[in-house]
Each structure stands twice: as structure tokens, then as C-alpha cells.
Amino acid sequence: MAAAVALGLLLSACSVSDPEAPAADGEGGGDATFSIAVGIDPDTFDPAGQTTTTVSNIVDYVVETLVRINDEGEIEGVLADSYEVSEDGLTITFELREGVTFHDGTPFDAEAVVYNFERITDPELTVPQGAAFTAFESATAVDENTVEISLSQPSPGFVSALSATVAGMISPTSVDAEGNSYQEYTRPVGTGPYEFGEYTAGESVTVTKYDDYWGEEPYYETVVFRVVPEAATRESLLLAGQVDMIILPPVSDIEALQANDDVEVLLAESDRTIFIALDNTDPVMQDPRVRQALNYAVDKQAIIDNVLFGAAQELDAPMAPSLFGYCETGTYDYDPERARQLLEEAGAVGASIELLTPSGRYVQDAQAAEAIAGYLREAGLDVTVSTSDFPSFLARVNAPVTENTPEAHLLGWAPAYLDADFQMQMFRQATHPPAGLGTSFYTNPEVEALLAQADVETDPDTREQLYCDASQIIWDDAPWIFLWTQSFPIVYDADITGVGATPVEKFDAMYARPAN
Amino acid sequence: MKGTAAHIVRTLLLSLITLFGVSILIFLMLRVLPGDPARVLAGLNASEEQVARLRAELGLDESLLAQYWSFITGVLTGDLGTSARTSAPVASEIGVRLPATLILAVVATIIGTIAGVTAGVVAAVRRNSIVDHVISSVAMMGVSMPVYWLGLLLILLFAVTLGWLPAAGSGEPLSIVLPAVTLAAFSTALISRMTRASMLEVLGQDYVRTAEAKGAPPTTVIIRHGLRNAFIPILTVISLQFGALLGGAVLTETVFGWPGIGRLLVDSIGARDFAVVQGIVLVYAAAFILLNVIVDVLYVVVDPRIRY
């Protein structure tokens, strides 16, 4: 080892004359580069193929959607100027932004939009997040800038769903262009501020500024996304000045980073709820008093402070506050007395519970599960914690109920668009495994009725109220131990300004620039 | 030499059978693992119909035998299949990443060999001196130190504190220094211990004493008479280490964001991307086997007494 270090010293000594230049000089935007370290190697650049927010985040630089959801949670136009939903909720008419062209010169018009709609709803194409578009029936180009969408049934969440990267608009001609095919779309051509440049597998993705962009011009000529799976290494890259921004540093270092004047820490709120799904069909768990007891038994804030290093917000509803349809529903304050009492009433003291958790999938997941198990043991339950890699974990929780079904498991759920409709899937009989990820096997006829009504309700206020009512019932039924929404930490060079986040666990650094 | 040629042919034939065995083993092992590739690939939000369609698309609804048959016939025609995760041909996925891993392993082997053999020879010549003890203890540390920890430590020192070297990636020539040194740490230690032991044995032989008595310069005695004769076991260790480095690169590549097949393997296992995992394991197996053949040949070159 000494030899190795000595050799390292020797080799690095030769490099003193060649120090790594900082990624962004900030001397005029002309040829400046902004580099971001991310943890995941992209699997696909096809907007339709997206499954992870990190990859969608990269694609967003190149491909734009018709609408987006702004900070106030309202839908606003991007490539659509405006839209109108017919009285019966079956027709949506989009007026498109004029004078927009794709990076390959193809005009962005009604035909292009129709093409894209038909593509993402084509059963021949694998669109993992395509479930949101099942109500789609047909798209028609009324004139050059008007598109009419027909739905088979009213679908209030449909327009929100169009804000997801999955519904990004690609140039129809680019599908047959070099490197691309209909099924394997690898070099996206969109209308965004940046053009797709280069992808080096396992290493980096580069995008370059598109000069004829219709909107505000970004500052940096080039943006490089570097793929660095290890969180500690990402942090080192930033501290060494070799990248300008990173996502997801080691959470245990957040405090130290906050104290460091050279970097800024943004603990962005995300829509990802973390919870312990309880098997509502289990003989012991069937009793709502037991499920409520579990909620009272855990000091969630203490775990957030000490295990998650503050990188989370305690839940006060069965969904994140950023979702349409959220309303503050209640609290289960830490009350070990009450927990014990409820367990005794239900005759559940001493019941044995397996708590299954993934490890490394969510912020401090396995560690949090251990802490929760500790609280549950204090309440008088016999808890064992087990963990596995994510595919095995998923295979177990996504199976129909058997004796092998764990009584409890930790899971995270991040709606791809900010609508309660997406979150409420978790509480419907239709999504009980294996049909979906409603892994608590929770069913309540009242909730089913409210949600079925919300499915087709076109008046936003009524719809919001329906979700609020359903939330209240779910909260009291406690099919989960409601935990927290995990924060999405972004750390960047203090000399940079304009870095933000979206509520769907994405960073927003499109218009980042040097502070002075 | 004729015997040697026959030996090599025999070894190669045996290798093919081994590879065939490996292909069956890895195929079965992957299928025993829980975790539905279609479910993982489709994402948490996908509906059951979409997952089912993906399963059919990937051919996962066929019988195991049918799946293996299409896999093995593909391999025989040079087609390693298609990655379920990226839809790209497995051969090109591996082809893009393999050079990075090979370069890393080669550089680490060179570092490990030079540093390890030097340290081992010095320790043997100065046996039981302070130098010997220091080298032995450091070697002990090198063997027992976790790659992850050493890697992060080196990044902290050379990239963050001193700012001399890139912390991660492979964008510039100097990027290789830290991962290669990290990767070499274990084999340096092992090679130095092997060299020391082997040298000590040889240095006690009559011909070395004869050479010394004849008044040959110490360097000549140590290198020509000593090291040359001690080299066979060292060579074995080095070649085995090279194979181990290919595998050990998994952790190093993750720590340093190095774009090699080690990381691709981890990503692919995490996604239950069967085709890519099978492809990489076959490549590893083939590399190990090839390495053994090469070492067999090298034995003959280094030690003319060896005949097969």
C-alpha cells in the first residue's frame, strides 16, 4: 500500500503543472460549461421510455412538453399556448405556440403533436408511464396550430399528465434519422433550449445550446451531466471544483455542507412519500386500532432529525402537499401510551411482525426501518427487520397475499405528475398486487366511491373536495404508517445562482449562471 | 515444443467445455433470483398489462429451455442478445465499456507488479531488517484494506485537499491514476509477499552462493540468479491477480465513476437485465481461461526446463 501511495504521490507530483481547470469560469457565457454530477447512467433518452426522474431531468433539457405545472401547482402552457376542456370532459383542444421549430428544422405544428400522441399511446411501444393516457382515443389536427384530443371517458388528470417528460414532443422526422428508429429512439430531437450532443456510456451526457430557441436563452453554451454512482465521490467532485452542481450527496454530510461557505445546499421538497405499508389482510393488522397504534408508536420527527439528518418533512396527509387534491388531514403524534393501550385493546401485544425494507433505494431507508422497528418493539411488538436488493424486494411486495407476505414494508412513491389521482392508486382495490403497487391491500368502499367520483369529475373544486374527503377516511383507517416526504438535496457552487428544484424530484438549473 | 502446442490445443478445448458449463450455470442462477425483470424495467408506475407486454417482448414468458436455447444459439452465432434496459445489442454495450476496464486492469497490474516485486525483493534481501518489517506490515494493511475506503481516502487527499488529480471520470489521462492505484493496492501487497517468500527460498540455493563466491555484482546475483529463478510462482500470482482485478474493478469503477464493465454488471444485475449479465460473465470467464493459457506459455518462456 505504501508503494501504491508513493507511486500515487509520484504520479500526481508530475501533474502539478496541470491543475484541473474549474468547470465554469464565469467569464462571459460564450463558451462556458456547466457540469452536474448525477448518480444514474441513463438507460434511454426516449421521452416515452422514462422511468427515473434523473434521466427525465436530462431529457428535459432537449425535449419540451405541451404544459408544465408551475410553483403554485397550476397548469401552464409550454409548447401549448392554451387549452380548453369541453363541457362533457371528452374533448381537449390545444392552441399551439407559433413559430417553434425542432432542432432538426422540422416545424412544431399540429401534425407533430398528433404524431407524438399516437406514438406514446401506441400499444406496440413500451411506455412504462403510459397508464395516465389510457383514456386517449384520438388526436386530430384541426388546423396548423390547433389540436383536438378525444377521450373515451372524462379524465381530469389527463392534462396534468402531459407535463411529464414521457409526453415530451419529439420531431417526427427525427424518428427515422440516423441513430434513431421508432422503437429505439436514442438521439432525441426536441424543441428545448439545448440540443442533444453526445453520450458516453457510463461517463457523461453533453448537451449544447440551441441558437434558435423560442424562449429565454440560457447562459451556458454546454451542459455536461457526469455519471458518478457513488455519493461521496459526487461530493468530492464538487468540493474539488470539478463540477458545479451535484444531486443527492451523502445525507450524513448535509450539515457539514451547509456549514461550508463554498457551496449552497438546497433541500428541495419532493412529492415522494415514504411510508410503511401494512398488510391490511393480515389477521392482526386487519384491526384498524393496531394500525393506528403503529402510527402513534413511532416518533417520526426524531427519526427525521437523527436518521435522515433533517432531509424530510413529516406527512400530515396520505400524500405530499405539492399534489393537487392535498389537504392537511391530521397528525399521529408520538404517543407510546396510546399505542400500547390500542394494542392491548386489540389483543395484539406480542404479535410478531416482519418489517421488510429496501436498502439504498430511498434516503436512509434501511436505517429508518431499523429505528422504526425499535419504536415498535417498545410498543410491545415482536419485530424483525429484513432487507434485500430492490428487484427481489419488489418481487415480494408485488405478489398476491400469501403466508410469505411481510406484515409491513417500507416503500416510496413519487407521482410522475402532481395530481392526487396518481397517489390515490395506492388505496384502491384495482391496484392490489399483482395488478399494481397498492401493496397494503387496503380497501374501503367509501373511499372507492369517492375516488370513482373524482375520476370523472370535471369541476376542480368538487374534485379537490372528493380527494380531501377520501384522504380523511384513509388517514383514520391508517393502512400505512405515514412517515414523510423525503427531501431532494441539491448542492452547488456558491458562485452560481439560478438553481432551483421542481416538486417532482427534479433539479431546475436550466437558467443557472455565475452570480456576478 | 510440439508437446506444448498439443497441450495448448487441449487446454483450449477444455476451455470451451468450461465456457459452456459457465453459460448454463449463470443462466440458471439468474433465473433463480427473485425479481421480475419486466416489472423492474417498466418502473413502479407501470400497469400490469404493460408489464405483461414487456415480459412477452423480452421472451420471458417462454419456457426456460426455450430461453436457454435462443441464448446459446445466439452466442454461437456471435449474437449476445439485446439489453432489456437500454435496447442496445449486448455485444456493443460490452464493447463500449470493456476497453476502460482492460486499461484500468492493465495499468493496475503494471503498478502492482513493479511496486510489489520491488518491495518483495528489497524485503527478501534485507530480511529481518527494519525495512523488511515495514514492508511486511504495510503489505498486511494493503491486503486487508477495503477498496471503497482506500478509494475515498485517496480522492479526499489528492482531489479535494491537494487538487492534483481528477476525483472521478475518465475524461483526461490523469483520471486513471487514482483508480489504478486503488485497484493495485491489494495486488501490490500480495505480489510483494509472494516475491519475498519466493526470493528467500531461491537466495538460499547453492547456485546463488556460487555466484556470490565468484564475485558477481550483488545486483546481478539478485536479479539474474535470484529473481529469474524465483519468478514462476510470482508470475502465477500476477496473472491470477490480473483476473481478480478485472472482477475487483466493480467496486473501484463505482467509487471513481469509471465507465467500465464492472459498473455495467452492477447496473445490469440491479435491473435484472439477464442478457447483459450473461454476456459480461461469459466475457469474464473467457478472459480468465485465456489468461491461464497465456501463463502456461509464459512458463515455458521463463523456465526452459518446463515441458508439457
Side-chain angles (χ1 to χ4, degrees), chain A residues 1-2 4 7 15 20 41 123 126-128 184 201-203 226-227 230 233 236 240 242 389 391-392 395 398 413 434, chain B residues 35 39 42 45-46 48 50 53 57 87 97 111 138 145 148 155 159 164-165 167-168 170 172 174 181 255 259 263 270 272:
Chain A
M1 199 314 262
L7 205 78
S15 75
E20 168 94 346
D41 195 21
T126 305
V127 184
E184 284 167 43
E203 170 96 43
R226 290 181 60 180
V227 180
E230 175 58 34
T233 310
S236 295
Q242 291 166 7
D389 69 308
S392 315
N398 198 221
W413 182 250
Chain B
R39 172 47 80 182
N45 297 342
E48 188 55 23
Q50 288 168 317
R53 199 167 58 236
E57 214 171 273
S87 311
R97 302 285 197 98
I111 294 174
V138 172
M145 186 143 37
Y148 236 81
I155 289 178
W164 291 349
L165 290 166
S170 70
E172 43 201 310
L174 282 173
V181 168
V255 175
R263 254 175 66 203
R272 295 289 186 268

Side-chain angles (χ1 to χ4, degrees), chain B residues 23-48:
Chain B
S23 78
I24 296 180
L25 257 181
I26 185 65
F27 180 87
L28 289 178
M29 277 161 71
L30 279 174
R31 267 77 185 171
V32 166
L33 278 180
D36 176 3
R39 172 47 80 182
V40 178
L41 288 167
L44 294 186
N45 297 342
S47 70
E48 188 55 23

